[in-house]
Amino acid sequence: SQTIHQWPATLVQPVGSPLSLECTVEGTSNPNLYWYRQAAGRGLQLLFYSVGIGQISSEVPQNLSASRPQDRQFILSSKKLLLSDSGFYLCAWSLGSLQPQHFGDGTRLSIL
Amino acid sequence: EDQVTQSPEALRLQEGESSSLNCSYTVSGLRGLFWYRQDPGKGPEFLFTLYSAGEEKEKERLKATLTKKESFLHITAPKPEDSATYLCAVNTGNQFYFGTGTSLTVIP
């Protein structure tokens, strides 16, 4: 069966510091991968998605970037964090664009 | 504008008191509607996919239905462990749109 791992679970970072969140999927090949941010009472906002290695689509202009160095690895990065980057970040995978997405347990990011 | 709206925002039920959660959508070209359960501090857990009007899916005390404009998640005789936030999402083929969820609390 497929599993998705996301880490760290919580992270506290100072403003202006860099960020790297990692997500890996096991038990499947060539999944679609997604990064979301979830703000309280505002639903999930799609940040990036990828249909293959090195292929990244950005949904929202922002202070973040994503990379997919391996088939089942998805990384969310920032060079300099802003206060507004605080939130709950979720990684997800699916077998195709019409298939349900399956989520990791998220990273709670707090910027001080 | 494509939009997904869930109601109510919050719902408190006594154990055993059945009810329904609503997900209404205005999108051009529905390719699928998904229901998720989300526990505090966790990622959403996939429950159901519905693809066409009239379709129904069931799992334990949950039953999801779909019409051309909305979906209902019916909860029959809920238990305290059903307490969670329930999210719906609509897929148009190009985009996934998530609602803001219904927070369900089941009181013993």
Side-chain angles (χ1 to χ4, degrees):
Chain A
S1 64
Q2 301 94 345
T3 56
I4 180 169
H5 302 280
Q6 219 185 308
W7 66 92
T10 59
L11 188 60
V12 180
Q13 293 283 95
V15 170
S17 63
L19 173 74
S20 180
L21 301 181
E22 189 164 341
C23 171
T24 59
V25 179
E26 296 178 355
T28 188
S29 296
N30 196 32
N32 287 2
L33 296 173
Y34 309 85
W35 278 111
Y36 286 89
R37 178 165 55 206
Q38 185 177 32
R42 296 189 62 185
L44 277 73
Q45 178 188 33
L46 180 63
L47 302 175
F48 301 95
Y49 70 92
S50 171
V51 298
I53 296 174
Q55 301 178 58
I56 309 295
S57 296
S58 174
E59 290 296 306
V60 190
Q62 59 216 322
N63 185 41
L64 303 169
S65 62
S67 61
R68 185 171 178 173
Q70 300 181 42
D71 180 45
R72 290 169 291 173
Q73 184 184 30
F74 207 22
I75 298 172
L76 183 69
S77 304
S78 174
K79 292 183 179 177
K80 280 189 176 183
L81 286 167
L82 306 173
L83 284 174
S84 58
D85 291 323
S86 293
F88 190 48
Y89 289 83
L90 290 158
C91 180
W93 68 271
S94 73
L95 291 176
S97 61
L98 300 183
Q99 300 300 313
Q101 297 176 14
H102 303 273
F103 290 83
D105 277 340
T107 294
R108 176 72 59 186
L109 175 64
S110 299
I111 311 298
L112 302 179
Chain B
E1 180 184 347
D2 293 337
Q3 194 168 349
V4 178
T5 304
Q6 289 189 248
S7 61
E9 289 186 14
L11 182 62
R12 289 172 63 89
L13 298 173
Q14 289 292 133
E15 183 172 1
E17 179 188 1
S18 301
S19 187
S20 296
L21 282 54
N22 177 263
C23 172
S24 63
Y25 59 90
T26 53
V27 299
S28 49
L30 177 73
R31 303 296 298 273
L33 187 141
F34 306 88
W35 280 99
Y36 290 84
R37 170 193 170 123
Q38 187 173 23
D39 292 305
K42 299 290 187 181
E45 175 190 352
F46 170 68
L47 294 173
F48 303 111
T49 306
L50 301 166
Y51 287 109
S52 57
E55 191 175 356
E56 299 182 351
K57 294 277 179 69
E58 282 190 71
K59 180 180 179 181
E60 296 181 355
R61 295 176 293 282
L62 301 177
K63 179 180 176 181
T65 62
L66 180 65
T67 72
K68 289 188 177 179
K69 293 186 176 181
E70 59 190 349
S71 176
F72 290 94
L73 184 65
H74 306 278
I75 303 176
T76 302
K79 298 181 178 182
E81 53 261 42
D82 294 322
S83 297
T85 295
Y86 291 85
L87 301 170
C88 74
V90 167
N91 186 352
T92 64
N94 296 320
Q95 291 278 5
F96 250 76
Y97 297 96
F98 279 85
T100 54
T102 293
S103 176
L104 174 66
T105 303
V106 182
I107 304 162

